[in-house]
Amino acid sequence: MAARTLQLPAAIQDYIIGLHCHFTTLVCLTFKRRMTFRSIDMPFLAIHITLCPAYQYSTRRYRALRFRARSRYAGGSYNKEYLTTTQYQTSVKEPQVKKKTPEQLRSHRWYGAQDMRAFGHRSRTAQMGFDRSDYAGKPVIAIINTWSDINPCHTHFKQRVEEVKRGVWQAGGFPVEMPAMSLSEPFQKPTTMMYRNFLAMECEELLRSYPADGAVLMGGCDKTTPALLMGAISMNLPAIFMPAGPMLRGNWGGATLGSGSDTWKYWAELRAGNITEKDWQEIEQGIARSPGHCMTMGTASTMTSAAEAMGFTLPGAASIPAPDSRHAAMATLTGKRAVDMVWEDLKPRDILDADAIHNAVTAVLAIGGSTNAIVHLIALARRAGVMLDLDLFDALARKTPLLANIRPSGKYLMEDFYYGGGLRAVLKNLGGLIRANAKTVNGKTLGENIADAKVFDADIIRSIDTALVKSDSLAVLRGNLAPDGAVIKPPAAEAQLHQHTGRAVVFSDYNDMAARIDDAELPVDKDSVIVLKHAGPLGGPGMPEWGQLPIPQKLLKQGVRDMVRISDARMSGTSYGACVLHIAPESFIGGPLALVQDGDLIELDVPARKLNLKVSDAELARRKAAWKAPAPRYERGYGAAFSQHITQANEGCDFDFLEAGAETPDPEIH
Ligand code: FES
C-alpha cells in the first residue's frame, strides 16, 4: 500500500521556512543575552522579520497564489488579456458565420457516401494511420507545398508545413500535404516563367481531383506566388497564401549584400577589374545566408506583397523574414484560418475584384516593385474575369509615390523593411490611394487590417511628404517600336537617360550577344542603344530575365554604368538600369523589334511615354515584307503546347485556354 504523504501548498511551506528563520534568530539573540529575552528586543525583532528576504519572498508568493486562486474561481480578470489578444483572434473578424454543414463539405463526397468507393477512400486513409474521428465531418485542407531540395528559397518549408498542419488540426480541420512543382528561380531553365502556368495548372487540378475543401498555398520564390494564386483563383475553393518570407541580409566583410542587385553590381566591377576573383568568391559565400526568398524588392518580395495587398494573406505576413519565429507562428495561424474560411465559404473570387487589383498595383508601385508584377497581375486578374491592362499601371504610377526605401530603387533590404513596420505601414501611409473596403482572407477589410499599423523607421518607410519619388516609379511606353506597349522603371535608371536618342547596336539573340558584347571591335559607345531580339514569350522561350543587358566591357572600363537597353525580355526585380522591357508584340512573331538594324536611331522619351524607331514607314514596310519567321522552338511535349497557347506580355503570358471561361465541373466520384 502506497504511503500517504501530506503535501502542503508551496506558499505555506515557504511561510513556515520564513518563520523558522525568525525563530532561530530569536533563539540566537536570547542566547547571546544569557537567555534573558527582554522587551527591548521586540522592535529589533519586528524590523528583522520585516526585512527578512525569506519572509518577503514567502509573503509575495502567498499573495500571488491567493490572487490567482480567487481570480480563477470567481471567473475574474486574471491574465485575461493573454487569453483574448492572440494574433489570430485579433486578426480575424468576429463572429464567424458558418455557412456549411459537415455534409455539405466537398470532401464529404469522397468520405461520406455509403458505397464501395467511399469505403476505399476511408480504408486507404486508415492505411495512413488515421481514425475516422481524425477527418469525419472536418474540412480537408490541401497544403500545396512547393518545397524542393533544388529550391534554396523554400528550404524551411519542410518545417513550415508542420506548423501549417498544427494550425489546421487546432482549428478542427484535416491537413493533407500535396507537393507541387517548385519553380526554383536560380536553377530552372530556360526560365521559371516557362513553367508558371504549369504550376498554376497543377495547383488547380490537385485541388479539383482530390477531396479538398480548402487550401493553404505555400510559395514565395518568384513565379510560385502568381502560379499558386492563378490555380487557386481558377479552382475557386477557399484558399489562403502563406508567403515564404525573405532571407536575412547578405554580408561581405561587413558590407550588406542584396540578392541580385549586388550580384549585378559586383559582376560589373569584376569585369571592370575593380575587384579580385577572391573578392568575388567571398561574395558568393555571403550573399545568401538563410532560408527565404530574395531579400531585395525583387519579384518574390513584390509578388508576396501584392498577394497581401490583394487580401490573400494574413495581415503583415509578407514582410516577416523566413527564419524569424513570427514566421513559424504565422504559418500556424494561416493553417487555422484556412479551416474557418471553409466554414465561411470565403473563396478567392470573393476577394479578387477590381478593388483588390487596384490595391495590388498601387502597393507594387509604392514599394518600387518588380516589373514582372505587371505580367503576373494581368494574368491573375484575367483568371478572375477582372479587366487589367498596361494603361491602369501607367495611370496609377502617375499618382502613386514610392514609399519603401528598399533596393534596387532604395537603400535597405526586406529584413529592415520588417523592422521598420512592413507592408502594412506602407499601405497605411498611402491613405486614400488604397481602396480600404477591399475584402481579405481574414474576413476583415484591408482598411481594418492596416488601421493600427505603425512606422518604426521613417527612413525605411516614407510618408507621402517624404516619398523617395513622388510618382512614375513605373512607365508604360508606346510607339512604332512597341505598338502593344513596353515598360521601364525610371527610378532604377540614370536620370539623364530618361530622354535619349541613340544608334542601335543589335543582337539577334542571347547567344549572339554573349559572343560579341565584350568584343573590343564592337561599334558601341555610351550613347548607343543596345538591342536584344528573340527574348520574348516565344522567342526566349519563356521571356527570360535577360532584360538587364550587359554593358560592354570596354565601356565599363571607361566608367559607364548605365545605358539605354531594349528587348522583349523581362528583367529580374533585383536589377536596375535604363532597360526597356516587355516590348509587345515580340520580335519572334514579327513585332517591330524584329525589324531594327544596326545604326538605326531609337528614341526613348519616358516623360512622354514614347519609344520610337526613327525609320520611315516605307522602309519598315520593306523590312517587314522581307522578314522570315524563325523555326518553332519546340516540335513536341510541353514546349509545343506552351508555344501554341502562350499569350503576349501585355496580356499576362497566360495560356489562352486558362483565362476566365466556363466553370470546369467537379469530378464525379466513381
Ligand atoms: Fe528564389 Fe530569388 S531565387 S526568390
Side-chain angles (χ1 to χ4, degrees), residues 151-154 183-187 220-223 247 259-260 292-296 298-301 572 574:
N151 194 333
C153 305
H154 295 181
L183 308 189
S184 175
E185 195 65 28
F187 290 101
C221 189
D222 284 24
K223 315 300 180 295
M247 68 177 98
S259 312
H293 59 66
C294 293
M295 73 329 229
T296 40
T299 304
S301 302
S572 165
T574 63

Side-chain angles (χ1 to χ4, degrees), residues 288-309:
R289 294 173 44 235
S290 80
H293 59 66
C294 293
M295 73 329 229
T296 40
M297 191 52 79
T299 304
S301 302
T302 302
M303 287 311 300
T304 55
S305 298
E308 180 171 334

Side-chain angles (χ1 to χ4, degrees), residues 300-600:
S301 302
T302 302
M303 287 311 300
T304 55
S305 298
E308 180 171 334
M310 274 187 285
F312 280 119
T313 74
L314 289 180
S319 309
I320 308 172
D324 196 295
S325 66
R326 295 308 84 202
H327 194 273
M330 179 272 292
T332 302
L333 300 172
T334 299
K336 284 185 182 178
R337 182 59 192 152
V339 177
D340 288 350
M341 286 175 69
V342 172
W343 292 124
E344 294 168 23
D345 203 25
L346 180 57
K347 300 191 288 292
R349 277 182 252 158
D350 300 329
I351 292 166
L352 191 64
D353 58 10
D355 288 346
I357 288 293
H358 172 101
N359 289 338
V361 175
T362 301
V364 166
L365 295 166
I367 59 180
S370 163
T371 45
N372 284 326
I374 298 169
V375 179
H376 299 320
L377 289 176
I378 289 174
L380 279 163
R382 287 182 171 220
R383 289 287 184 111
V386 178
M387 189 56 216
L388 174 61
D389 59 21
L390 291 175
D391 292 338
L392 183 65
F393 282 92
D394 197 67
L396 291 178
R398 288 174 189 271
K399 60 181 181 182
T400 304
L402 174 57
L403 302 186
N405 191 3
I406 311 292
R407 298 185 202 183
S409 300
K411 175 180 169 189
Y412 298 97
L413 295 174
M414 288 300 288
E415 188 180 346
D416 309 296
F417 185 58
Y418 177 56
Y419 305 144
L423 183 70
R424 291 171 71 239
V426 171
L427 296 176
K428 188 174 184 193
N429 277 4
L430 284 168
L433 294 173
I434 286 292
R435 294 189 178 167
N437 287 330
K439 282 186 199 163
T440 74
V441 286
N442 71 344
K444 293 185 179 181
T445 64
L446 187 67
E448 290 173 307
N449 285 340
I450 62 175
D452 63 350
K454 291 189 182 71
V455 174
F456 300 111
D457 189 323
D459 190 39
I460 300 172
I461 296 174
R462 304 293 184 90
S463 67
I464 288 179
D465 290 339
T466 61
L468 289 152
V469 178
K470 295 293 178 196
S471 63
D472 292 348
S473 57
L474 183 85
V476 174
L477 309 168
R478 291 185 199 275
N480 69 351
L481 200 43
D484 292 338
V487 300
I488 188 171
K489 212 170 161 181
E494 290 183 2
Q496 80 275 7
L497 296 174
H498 290 184
Q499 286 175 297
H500 179 85
T501 301
R503 296 215 172 267
V505 176
V506 180
F507 298 101
S508 58
D509 59 23
Y510 187 90
N511 289 335
D512 180 31
M513 181 180 72
R516 295 194 294 126
I517 190 75
D518 287 338
D519 186 341
E521 302 302 314
L522 187 72
V524 64
D525 61 32
K526 67 179 178 50
D527 296 323
S528 301
V529 174
I530 301 178
V531 177
L532 176 65
K533 299 179 182 180
H534 291 186
L538 282 155
M543 206 181 173
E545 291 185 341
W546 296 337
Q548 190 189 22
L549 311 181
I551 292 174
Q553 194 169 32
K554 67 180 180 183
L555 298 181
L556 283 173
K557 288 181 174 170
Q558 294 168 19
V560 176
R561 290 293 182 271
D562 200 3
M563 298 174 68
V564 175
R565 292 160 271 179
I566 72 171
S567 72
D568 40 18
R570 292 177 300 114
M571 179 173 86
S572 165
T574 63
S575 306
Y576 49 85
C579 303
V580 176
L581 312 157
H582 303 194
I583 288 180
E586 65 173 303
S587 53
F588 196 82
I589 60 172
L593 186 65
L595 311 180
V596 181
Q597 296 180 355
D598 280 329
D600 287 348

Side-chain angles (χ1 to χ4, degrees), residues 147-202:
W147 172 86
S148 165
D149 265 342
I150 197 70
N151 194 333
C153 305
H154 295 181
T155 51
H156 55 317
F157 274 12
K158 259 189 177 177
Q159 176 61 33
R160 289 292 175 272
V161 76
E162 298 305 319
E163 285 140 0
V164 173
K165 286 179 185 175
R166 185 173 74 196
V168 172
W169 283 120
Q170 286 177 5
F174 183 58
V176 178
E177 183 181 353
M178 295 185 185
M181 184 189 250
S182 193
L183 308 189
S184 175
E185 195 65 28
F187 290 101
Q188 196 166 30
K189 307 299 175 191
T191 160
T192 50
M193 188 61 184
M194 182 106 182
Y195 296 98
R196 183 199 66 181
N197 300 343
F198 191 109
L199 176 58
M201 289 172 70
E202 186 182 10

